[in-house]
Coordinates of all heavy atoms in Angstrom, one line a residue:
M1 N 123.5 24.2 62.4 CA 122.2 24.4 61.8 C 121.3 23.2 62.3 O 121.8 22.1 62.5 CB 122.4 24.4 60.3 CG 121.0 24.7 59.6 SD 121.2 24.8 57.8 CE 121.4 23.1 57.4
T2 N 120.1 23.5 62.3 CA 119.1 22.4 62.6 C 117.9 22.6 61.6 O 117.8 23.6 60.9 CB 118.7 22.5 64.1 OG1 117.9 21.4 64.4 CG2 117.9 23.8 64.3
Y3 N 117.0 21.7 61.7 CA 115.7 21.8 61.0 C 114.6 22.3 61.9 O 114.6 22.1 63.1 CB 115.4 20.5 60.3 CG 116.2 20.3 59.1 CD1 117.5 19.8 59.1 CD2 115.6 20.6 57.8 CE1 118.3 19.7 58.0 CE2 116.4 20.4 56.6 CZ 117.7 20.0 56.7 OH 118.4 19.8 55.6
I4 N 113.7 23.0 61.3 CA 112.6 23.7 62.0 C 111.3 23.3 61.4 O 111.1 23.2 60.2 CB 112.7 25.3 61.9 CG1 114.1 25.8 62.3 CG2 111.6 25.9 62.7 CD1 114.5 25.5 63.7
I5 N 110.3 23.0 62.3 CA 108.9 22.7 61.8 C 108.2 24.0 62.0 O 108.1 24.5 63.1 CB 108.3 21.5 62.6 CG1 109.1 20.3 62.3 CG2 106.8 21.4 62.2 CD1 108.6 19.0 63.1
A6 N 107.6 24.5 60.9 CA 106.9 25.8 61.0 C 105.4 25.7 60.9 O 104.8 24.5 61.0 CB 107.4 26.6 59.8
E7 N 104.7 26.8 60.7 CA 103.3 26.9 60.8 C 102.5 25.9 60.0 O 101.3 25.5 60.4 CB 102.8 28.3 60.5 CG 101.4 28.6 60.8 CD 101.0 30.0 60.8 OE1 101.6 30.8 61.7 OE2 100.3 30.4 59.9
P8 N 102.9 25.5 58.7 CA 102.0 24.6 58.0 C 101.7 23.3 58.7 O 100.7 22.6 58.4 CB 102.8 24.3 56.7 CG 103.6 25.6 56.6 CD 104.0 26.0 58.0
C9 N 102.5 22.9 59.7 CA 102.2 21.7 60.4 C 101.1 21.8 61.5 O 100.5 20.9 61.9 CB 103.5 21.2 61.2 SG 103.4 19.7 62.0
V10 N 100.9 23.1 61.9 CA 99.9 23.3 62.9 C 98.5 22.7 62.5 O 98.0 23.1 61.5 CB 99.8 24.8 63.3 CG1 98.7 25.1 64.3 CG2 101.1 25.3 63.9
D11 N 98.0 21.9 63.4 CA 96.7 21.2 63.2 C 96.7 20.2 62.1 O 95.6 19.6 61.8 CB 95.5 22.3 63.0 CG 95.3 23.1 64.2 OD1 95.6 22.6 65.3 OD2 95.0 24.3 64.1
V12 N 97.8 19.9 61.5 CA 97.9 18.8 60.5 C 98.6 17.7 61.1 O 98.1 16.6 61.1 CB 98.7 19.3 59.2 CG1 98.9 18.2 58.3 CG2 97.9 20.4 58.5
M13 N 99.8 17.9 61.6 CA 100.6 16.9 62.3 C 100.8 15.6 61.6 O 100.7 14.5 62.3 CB 100.1 16.8 63.8 CG 100.3 18.0 64.6 SD 99.7 17.9 66.2 CE 100.6 16.6 66.9
D14 N 101.0 15.5 60.3 CA 101.3 14.3 59.7 C 102.6 13.8 60.2 O 103.6 14.6 60.4 CB 101.5 14.6 58.1 CG 101.8 13.3 57.4 OD1 103.0 12.9 57.4 OD2 100.8 12.7 56.9
Q15 N 102.7 12.6 60.6 CA 103.9 12.1 61.3 C 104.9 11.3 60.4 O 105.7 10.5 60.9 CB 103.5 11.3 62.4 CG 102.7 12.0 63.5 CD 102.1 11.2 64.6 OE1 102.7 10.2 65.0 NE2 100.9 11.6 65.0
A16 N 104.8 11.5 59.1 CA 105.7 10.8 58.2 C 107.2 11.2 58.5 O 108.1 10.4 58.4 CB 105.4 11.1 56.7
C17 N 107.4 12.4 59.0 CA 108.7 12.9 59.3 C 109.3 12.1 60.5 O 110.5 11.8 60.6 CB 108.8 14.4 59.6 SG 107.7 14.9 60.9
V18 N 108.4 11.8 61.4 CA 108.9 11.1 62.7 C 109.4 9.7 62.3 O 110.5 9.3 62.8 CB 107.7 11.0 63.7 CG1 108.1 10.1 64.9 CG2 107.2 12.3 64.0
S19 N 108.8 9.0 61.4 CA 109.2 7.6 61.1 C 110.5 7.6 60.3 O 111.2 6.6 60.4 CB 108.1 6.9 60.3 OG 107.9 7.6 59.1
V20 N 110.9 8.7 59.7 CA 112.2 8.6 58.9 C 113.4 9.3 59.7 O 114.5 9.1 59.3 CB 112.1 9.3 57.5 CG1 111.1 8.6 56.7 CG2 111.8 10.8 57.7
C21 N 113.1 9.9 60.8 CA 114.2 10.5 61.6 C 115.1 9.5 62.2 O 114.6 8.7 63.0 CB 113.6 11.4 62.7 SG 114.9 12.2 63.6
P22 N 116.4 9.5 61.8 CA 117.3 8.4 62.3 C 117.7 8.6 63.8 O 118.2 7.7 64.4 CB 118.5 8.5 61.4 CG 118.5 10.0 61.0 CD 117.1 10.4 60.9
V23 N 117.4 9.8 64.4 CA 117.8 10.0 65.8 C 116.6 10.3 66.7 O 116.8 10.7 67.8 CB 118.8 11.2 65.9 CG1 120.2 10.8 65.3 CG2 118.4 12.5 65.3
D24 N 115.4 10.2 66.1 CA 114.2 10.4 66.9 C 114.1 11.7 67.7 O 113.9 11.8 68.9 CB 114.0 9.2 68.0 CG 113.8 7.9 67.3 OD1 113.1 7.8 66.2 OD2 114.3 6.9 67.8
C25 N 114.4 12.8 66.9 CA 114.4 14.1 67.5 C 113.1 14.9 67.2 O 113.1 16.1 67.6 CB 115.6 14.9 67.0 SG 115.6 15.4 65.3
I26 N 112.1 14.3 66.7 CA 110.8 15.0 66.5 C 109.8 14.4 67.4 O 109.5 13.3 67.5 CB 110.3 14.8 65.0 CG1 111.5 15.2 64.0 CG2 109.0 15.5 64.7 CD1 111.2 14.9 62.6
H27 N 109.2 15.4 68.2 CA 108.3 15.0 69.3 C 107.1 15.8 69.4 O 107.0 16.9 68.8 CB 109.1 15.2 70.6 CG 110.4 14.4 70.7 ND1 111.6 15.0 70.5 CD2 110.6 13.1 70.9 CE1 112.5 14.1 70.6 NE2 112.0 13.0 70.8
F28 N 106.1 15.3 70.1 CA 104.9 16.0 70.5 C 104.2 15.3 71.5 O 104.5 14.1 71.7 CB 104.0 16.2 69.2 CG 103.4 14.9 68.8 CD1 102.0 14.7 69.0 CD2 104.1 14.0 68.1 CE1 101.5 13.5 68.6 CE2 103.5 12.8 67.6 CZ 102.2 12.5 67.9
D29 N 103.3 15.8 72.3 CA 102.4 15.2 73.2 C 101.1 15.0 72.6 O 100.3 16.0 72.3 CB 102.3 16.0 74.5 CG 103.6 15.9 75.4 OD1 104.5 15.1 75.1 OD2 103.7 16.8 76.2
E30 N 100.8 13.8 72.3 CA 99.5 13.5 71.6 C 98.3 13.9 72.4 O 98.3 13.7 73.7 CB 99.4 11.9 71.4 CG 98.3 11.6 70.5 CD 98.3 10.1 70.0 OE1 99.4 9.5 70.1 OE2 97.3 9.7 69.4
G31 N 97.4 14.5 71.8 CA 96.2 15.0 72.4 C 96.3 16.4 73.1 O 95.4 17.0 73.5
T32 N 97.6 16.9 73.1 CA 97.8 18.3 73.7 C 98.4 19.2 72.6 O 98.0 20.4 72.6 CB 98.8 18.1 74.9 OG1 98.2 17.2 75.8 CG2 99.0 19.4 75.6
D33 N 99.4 18.8 71.9 CA 100.1 19.7 71.0 C 99.4 19.8 69.7 O 98.7 18.8 69.2 CB 101.5 19.2 70.7 CG 102.4 19.5 72.0 OD1 102.4 20.6 72.4 OD2 103.1 18.5 72.5
R34 N 99.5 20.9 69.0 CA 98.9 21.2 67.7 C 99.9 21.1 66.6 O 99.6 21.2 65.4 CB 98.3 22.6 67.7 CG 97.2 22.7 68.7 CD 96.7 24.2 68.7 NE 96.2 24.6 67.4 CZ 96.2 25.9 67.0 NH1 96.7 26.8 67.8 NH2 95.8 26.2 65.8
T35 N 101.2 20.9 66.9 CA 102.2 20.8 65.9 C 103.3 19.8 66.4 O 103.3 19.5 67.6 CB 102.8 22.2 65.6 OG1 103.7 22.1 64.5 CG2 103.5 22.8 66.8
L36 N 104.2 19.5 65.6 CA 105.4 18.7 66.0 C 106.6 19.6 66.2 O 106.6 20.7 65.8 CB 105.7 17.7 64.9 CG 104.6 16.8 64.4 CD1 105.1 15.9 63.2 CD2 104.1 15.9 65.5
F37 N 107.6 19.1 66.9 CA 108.7 19.9 67.3 C 110.0 19.2 67.1 O 110.1 18.0 67.4 CB 108.7 20.3 68.8 CG 107.4 21.0 69.2 CD1 106.3 20.4 69.6 CD2 107.3 22.4 69.1 CE1 105.1 21.0 70.0 CE2 106.2 23.1 69.4 CZ 105.1 22.4 69.9
I38 N 111.0 19.8 66.5 CA 112.3 19.2 66.3 C 113.3 19.7 67.4 O 113.4 20.9 67.6 CB 112.9 19.6 65.0 CG1 112.1 18.9 63.9 CG2 114.4 19.1 64.9 CD1 112.5 19.2 62.5
D39 N 113.9 18.8 68.1 CA 114.9 19.2 69.2 C 116.2 19.6 68.5 O 116.9 18.9 67.9 CB 115.2 17.9 70.1 CG 116.0 18.3 71.3 OD1 116.8 19.2 71.2 OD2 115.9 17.6 72.3
P40 N 116.5 20.9 68.7 CA 117.7 21.4 68.0 C 119.0 20.8 68.6 O 120.1 20.8 67.9 CB 117.6 22.9 68.3 CG 116.9 23.0 69.5 CD 115.9 21.9 69.5
N41 N 119.0 20.2 69.8 CA 120.1 19.6 70.3 C 120.4 18.2 69.9 O 121.4 17.7 70.0 CB 120.1 19.7 71.9 CG 120.1 21.1 72.4 OD1 120.9 21.9 71.9 ND2 119.2 21.4 73.3
E42 N 119.3 17.6 69.4 CA 119.4 16.2 68.9 C 119.5 16.1 67.4 O 120.0 15.1 66.9 CB 118.2 15.4 69.4 CG 118.1 15.2 70.9 CD 116.9 14.4 71.4 OE1 116.1 14.0 70.5 OE2 116.7 14.2 72.6
C43 N 118.9 17.1 66.7 CA 118.9 17.0 65.3 C 120.3 17.0 64.7 O 121.2 17.7 65.1 CB 118.2 18.3 64.7 SG 118.1 18.4 62.9
I44 N 120.6 16.0 63.8 CA 121.8 15.9 63.2 C 121.9 16.5 61.8 O 122.9 16.3 61.0 CB 122.3 14.4 63.1 CG1 121.3 13.6 62.3 CG2 122.5 13.9 64.6 CD1 121.8 12.2 62.1
D45 N 120.9 17.3 61.4 CA 120.9 18.0 60.1 C 121.0 17.1 58.9 O 121.6 17.5 57.9 CB 122.1 19.0 60.1 CG 122.1 20.0 61.3 OD1 121.0 20.3 61.8 OD2 123.2 20.3 61.8
C46 N 120.4 15.9 59.0 CA 120.5 15.0 57.9 C 119.5 15.3 56.8 O 119.7 14.9 55.6 CB 120.3 13.5 58.4 SG 118.6 13.2 58.9
G47 N 118.4 16.0 57.1 CA 117.5 16.4 56.1 C 116.5 15.3 55.7 O 115.7 15.6 54.8
A48 N 116.5 14.2 56.4 CA 115.6 13.1 56.0 C 114.1 13.5 56.2 O 113.3 13.0 55.4 CB 115.9 11.8 56.8
C49 N 113.8 14.3 57.1 CA 112.4 14.7 57.4 C 111.8 15.6 56.4 O 110.6 15.6 56.1 CB 112.4 15.3 58.8 SG 113.4 16.8 59.0
E50 N 112.6 16.5 55.9 CA 112.1 17.6 55.0 C 111.3 17.1 53.8 O 110.2 17.5 53.6 CB 113.3 18.5 54.5 CG 112.8 19.7 53.8 CD 113.9 20.6 53.4 OE1 115.1 20.1 53.4 OE2 113.7 21.7 53.1
P51 N 111.8 16.1 53.0 CA 111.0 15.7 51.8 C 109.8 14.8 52.2 O 108.9 14.7 51.4 CB 112.0 14.9 51.0 CG 113.0 14.5 51.9 CD 113.1 15.5 53.0
E52 N 109.7 14.3 53.4 CA 108.6 13.5 53.9 C 107.4 14.3 54.3 O 106.3 13.8 54.3 CB 109.1 12.6 55.0 CG 110.1 11.6 54.7 CD 109.7 10.7 53.5 OE1 108.5 10.1 53.6 OE2 110.5 10.4 52.6
C53 N 107.6 15.6 54.5 CA 106.5 16.4 55.0 C 105.5 16.7 53.9 O 105.9 17.4 53.0 CB 107.0 17.7 55.6 SG 105.7 18.7 56.3
P54 N 104.2 16.3 54.0 CA 103.3 16.5 52.9 C 102.8 18.0 52.8 O 102.2 18.3 51.7 CB 102.2 15.6 53.2 CG 102.2 15.4 54.7 CD 103.6 15.5 55.0
V55 N 103.0 18.8 53.8 CA 102.6 20.2 53.8 C 103.7 21.1 53.7 O 103.6 22.3 53.9 CB 101.7 20.5 55.0 CG1 100.3 19.7 54.8 CG2 102.3 20.3 56.3
N56 N 105.0 20.7 53.5 CA 106.2 21.5 53.3 C 106.3 22.4 54.5 O 106.6 23.6 54.5 CB 106.1 22.3 52.1 CG 106.1 21.5 50.9 OD1 106.9 20.5 50.8 ND2 105.2 21.8 49.9
A57 N 106.3 21.8 55.7 CA 106.4 22.6 57.0 C 107.8 22.5 57.6 O 108.1 23.2 58.6 CB 105.4 22.1 58.0
I58 N 108.7 21.7 57.0 CA 110.0 21.6 57.6 C 111.1 22.2 56.7 O 111.1 22.1 55.5 CB 110.4 20.0 57.7 CG1 109.3 19.4 58.6 CG2 111.8 19.9 58.3 CD1 109.5 17.8 58.7
F59 N 111.9 23.0 57.4 CA 112.9 23.8 56.7 C 114.3 23.8 57.4 O 114.3 23.7 58.6 CB 112.5 25.3 56.7 CG 111.2 25.6 56.0 CD1 110.0 25.5 56.7 CD2 111.2 25.9 54.6 CE1 108.8 25.7 56.0 CE2 110.0 26.1 54.0 CZ 108.8 26.1 54.6
A60 N 115.3 23.8 56.7 CA 116.6 24.0 57.3 C 116.6 25.4 57.9 O 115.9 26.3 57.4 CB 117.7 24.0 56.2
E61 N 117.2 25.6 59.0 CA 117.1 26.8 59.8 C 117.5 28.1 58.9 O 116.8 29.1 59.0 CB 118.0 26.8 61.0 CG 117.9 27.9 61.9 CD 118.7 27.8 63.2 OE1 119.6 26.9 63.2 OE2 118.6 28.6 64.1
D62 N 118.4 27.9 58.0 CA 118.9 29.1 57.2 C 117.9 29.3 56.0 O 118.1 30.2 55.3 CB 120.3 29.0 56.8 CG 120.6 27.8 56.0 OD1 119.7 26.9 55.7 OD2 121.8 27.6 55.6
A63 N 117.0 28.4 55.8 CA 116.0 28.6 54.7 C 114.6 28.8 55.2 O 113.7 28.8 54.3 CB 116.1 27.3 53.8
L64 N 114.4 29.0 56.5 CA 113.1 29.2 57.0 C 112.6 30.6 56.5 O 113.2 31.6 56.7 CB 113.2 29.2 58.6 CG 111.9 29.3 59.3 CD1 111.0 28.1 59.1 CD2 112.2 29.5 60.8
P65 N 111.3 30.5 55.9 CA 110.8 31.8 55.5 C 110.6 32.8 56.7 O 110.3 32.4 57.8 CB 109.4 31.4 54.9 CG 109.6 29.9 54.5 CD 110.5 29.4 55.5
A66 N 110.8 34.0 56.4 CA 110.9 35.1 57.4 C 109.5 35.1 58.2 O 109.5 35.3 59.4 CB 111.1 36.4 56.8
Q67 N 108.4 34.9 57.6 CA 107.1 35.0 58.3 C 107.0 33.9 59.3 O 106.1 34.0 60.2 CB 105.9 34.9 57.3 CG 105.6 33.6 56.7 CD 106.2 33.4 55.3 OE1 107.3 33.9 55.0 NE2 105.6 32.5 54.5
W68 N 107.8 32.9 59.3 CA 107.8 31.8 60.3 C 109.0 31.7 61.2 O 109.3 30.7 61.8 CB 107.6 30.4 59.6 CG 106.2 30.3 58.9 CD1 105.1 30.9 59.3 CD2 106.0 29.7 57.7 NE1 104.1 30.6 58.4 CE2 104.6 29.9 57.3 CE3 106.8 29.0 56.8 CZ2 104.0 29.4 56.2 CZ3 106.2 28.4 55.7 CH2 104.8 28.6 55.3
A69 N 109.7 32.8 61.2 CA 111.0 32.9 62.0 C 110.8 32.5 63.5 O 111.6 31.9 64.2 CB 111.6 34.3 61.9
A70 N 109.6 32.9 64.1 CA 109.3 32.6 65.5 C 109.3 31.1 65.8 O 109.5 30.7 67.0 CB 108.0 33.2 65.8
Y71 N 109.1 30.2 64.8 CA 109.1 28.8 65.0 C 110.5 28.2 65.4 O 110.6 27.2 66.0 CB 108.5 28.1 63.8 CG 107.0 28.3 63.9 CD1 106.4 29.3 63.2 CD2 106.1 27.4 64.5 CE1 105.0 29.6 63.3 CE2 104.8 27.6 64.6 CZ 104.2 28.7 64.0 OH 102.9 28.9 64.0
T72 N 111.6 29.0 65.1 CA 112.9 28.5 65.5 C 112.9 28.5 67.1 O 113.3 27.5 67.7 CB 114.0 29.5 65.0 OG1 113.9 29.5 63.5 CG2 115.4 29.0 65.4
E73 N 112.5 29.6 67.7 CA 112.4 29.6 69.1 C 111.4 28.7 69.7 O 111.7 28.0 70.7 CB 112.1 31.1 69.6 CG 111.9 31.1 71.1 CD 111.3 32.4 71.6 OE1 110.9 33.3 70.8 OE2 111.1 32.5 72.8
I74 N 110.3 28.5 69.0 CA 109.2 27.7 69.5 C 109.7 26.2 69.6 O 109.4 25.5 70.6 CB 107.9 27.8 68.7 CG1 107.3 29.2 69.0 CG2 106.9 26.7 69.0 CD1 106.2 29.6 68.0
N75 N 110.3 25.7 68.5 CA 110.8 24.4 68.5 C 111.8 24.1 69.6 O 111.6 23.1 70.4 CB 111.5 24.1 67.2 CG 110.5 23.6 66.1 OD1 110.5 22.5 65.7 ND2 109.7 24.6 65.6
A76 N 112.7 25.0 69.9 CA 113.6 24.8 71.0 C 113.0 25.0 72.4 O 113.3 24.2 73.3 CB 114.8 25.8 70.9
L77 N 112.0 25.9 72.5 CA 111.4 26.2 73.7 C 110.6 25.0 74.3 O 110.5 24.7 75.4 CB 110.5 27.4 73.6 CG 109.7 27.9 74.8 CD1 110.6 28.3 76.0 CD2 108.8 29.1 74.4
W78 N 110.0 24.2 73.3 CA 109.2 23.1 73.7 C 109.9 22.1 74.6 O 109.3 21.5 75.5 CB 108.6 22.4 72.5 CG 107.5 21.4 72.8 CD1 106.2 21.6 73.0 CD2 107.7 20.0 72.9 NE1 105.6 20.4 73.2 CE2 106.5 19.4 73.2 CE3 108.8 19.1 72.8 CZ2 106.3 18.0 73.3 CZ3 108.6 17.8 73.0 CH2 107.4 17.2 73.2
Y79 N 111.2 22.0 74.4 CA 112.0 21.1 75.2 C 112.4 21.6 76.6 O 112.8 20.7 77.4 CB 113.2 20.7 74.3 CG 112.8 19.9 73.1 CD1 112.5 20.6 71.9 CD2 112.6 18.6 73.2 CE1 112.1 19.9 70.8 CE2 112.1 17.8 72.1 CZ 111.9 18.5 70.9 OH 111.4 17.8 69.8
S80 N 112.1 22.8 76.9 CA 112.4 23.3 78.2 C 111.1 23.8 78.9 O 111.0 23.9 80.1 CB 113.4 24.4 78.2 OG 113.0 25.6 77.4
D81 N 110.1 24.3 78.1 CA 108.9 24.8 78.7 C 107.7 24.6 77.7 O 107.4 25.5 76.9 CB 109.0 26.3 79.0 CG 107.9 26.9 79.7 OD1 106.8 26.3 79.8 OD2 108.0 28.0 80.3
K82 N 107.2 23.4 77.7 CA 106.1 23.0 76.8 C 104.9 24.0 76.8 O 104.4 24.3 75.7 CB 105.6 21.6 77.0 CG 106.7 20.5 76.8 CD 106.2 19.2 77.1 CE 107.2 18.1 76.8 NZ 106.7 16.7 77.1
D83 N 104.5 24.4 77.9 CA 103.4 25.3 78.0 C 103.6 26.7 77.3 O 102.8 27.2 76.6 CB 102.9 25.5 79.4 CG 102.3 24.3 80.1 OD1 101.7 23.4 79.3 OD2 102.3 24.2 81.3
A84 N 104.8 27.1 77.5 CA 105.2 28.4 76.8 C 105.3 28.2 75.4 O 104.8 29.1 74.6 CB 106.5 28.9 77.4
A85 N 105.7 27.1 74.9 CA 105.8 26.9 73.4 C 104.4 26.8 72.9 O 104.1 27.3 71.8 CB 106.6 25.6 73.2
R86 N 103.5 26.1 73.6 CA 102.1 25.9 73.1 C 101.4 27.3 73.1 O 100.7 27.6 72.1 CB 101.4 24.9 74.0 CG 101.9 23.5 73.9 CD 101.3 22.6 75.0 NE 101.8 21.3 74.9 CZ 102.2 20.6 75.9 NH1 102.0 21.0 77.1 NH2 102.6 19.3 75.7
A87 N 101.7 28.1 74.1 CA 101.1 29.4 74.1 C 101.5 30.3 72.9 O 100.7 31.0 72.3 CB 101.4 30.2 75.4
K88 N 102.8 30.1 72.5 CA 103.3 30.9 71.4 C 102.7 30.4 70.1 O 102.4 31.2 69.2 CB 104.8 30.8 71.3 CG 105.5 31.7 72.4 CD 107.0 31.6 72.3 CE 107.7 32.4 73.4 NZ 107.7 33.8 73.0
V89 N 102.5 29.0 69.9 CA 101.9 28.5 68.8 C 100.4 29.1 68.7 O 100.0 29.5 67.6 CB 101.9 27.0 68.8 CG1 100.9 26.4 67.7 CG2 103.3 26.4 68.6
N90 N 99.7 29.0 69.8 CA 98.3 29.5 69.8 C 98.2 31.0 69.5 O 97.2 31.4 68.9 CB 97.7 29.2 71.2 CG 97.5 27.7 71.4 OD1 97.4 26.9 70.4 ND2 97.4 27.3 72.6
A91 N 99.2 31.8 69.9 CA 99.2 33.2 69.7 C 99.5 33.5 68.2 O 98.9 34.4 67.6 CB 100.3 33.9 70.5
L92 N 100.3 32.7 67.6 CA 100.6 32.8 66.1 C 99.5 32.3 65.2 O 99.2 32.9 64.2 CB 101.9 32.1 65.8 CG 103.2 32.8 66.3 CD1 104.4 31.9 66.0 CD2 103.4 34.2 65.7
K93 N 98.9 31.3 65.7 CA 97.8 30.6 64.9 C 96.7 30.2 65.8 O 96.7 29.0 66.3 CB 98.3 29.5 64.0 CG 97.3 29.0 63.0 CD 97.9 28.1 62.0 CE 96.8 27.7 61.0 NZ 97.2 26.8 60.0
P94 N 95.8 31.1 66.1 CA 94.7 30.7 67.0 C 93.9 29.5 66.5 O 93.7 29.4 65.3 CB 93.8 32.0 67.1 CG 94.8 33.1 66.8 CD 95.7 32.5 65.8
A95 N 93.4 28.7 67.4 CA 92.6 27.5 67.1 C 91.3 27.9 66.5 O 90.7 28.9 66.8 CB 92.5 26.6 68.3

């Protein structure tokens, strides 16, 4: 299991979660991305990020609300194809 950052983070991008992550698995490209992403290969499932998010955008994978299921793929995709992940975010929540 891993943690997922879902739609409430889009265009908010509060970085409190980044500062508490013990393995630095939360990333984004400043000035380009509209949301933060958790690397599923680096996440150690500690849960430290979840309570830090002021907009409740972080979920354990098995607790992710169904309406945001696409964000599981988007978080992982960002680490192999950033442009494709950004396009999916934009399609789900146009700017």
Side-chain angles (χ1 to χ4, degrees):
M1 185 178 74
T2 189
Y3 280 79
I4 308 297
I5 297 178
E7 190 168 294
C9 183
V10 176
D11 296 327
V12 175
M13 294 181 56
D14 182 278
Q15 297 173 37
C17 59
V18 176
S19 63
V20 299
C21 179
V23 294
D24 297 322
C25 71
I26 304 171
H27 305 100
F28 69 104
D29 287 342
E30 191 167 347
T32 304
D33 288 309
R34 297 175 57 210
T35 188
L36 306 176
F37 304 91
I38 294 178
D39 187 333
N41 296 315
E42 293 179 2
C43 180
I44 60 171
D45 308 324
C46 70
C49 57
E50 187 177 17
E52 295 301 316
C53 181
V55 294
N56 299 314
I58 303 175
F59 299 88
E61 187 174 12
D62 63 357
L64 183 67
Q67 74 264 29
W68 296 324
Y71 285 87
T72 301
E73 176 194 358
I74 291 169
N75 275 249
L77 181 60
W78 190 84
Y79 293 90
S80 62
D81 188 344
K82 291 179 181 182
D83 289 336
R86 291 172 183 139
K88 287 180 180 282
V89 168
N90 291 337
L92 288 172
K93 189 167 183 180

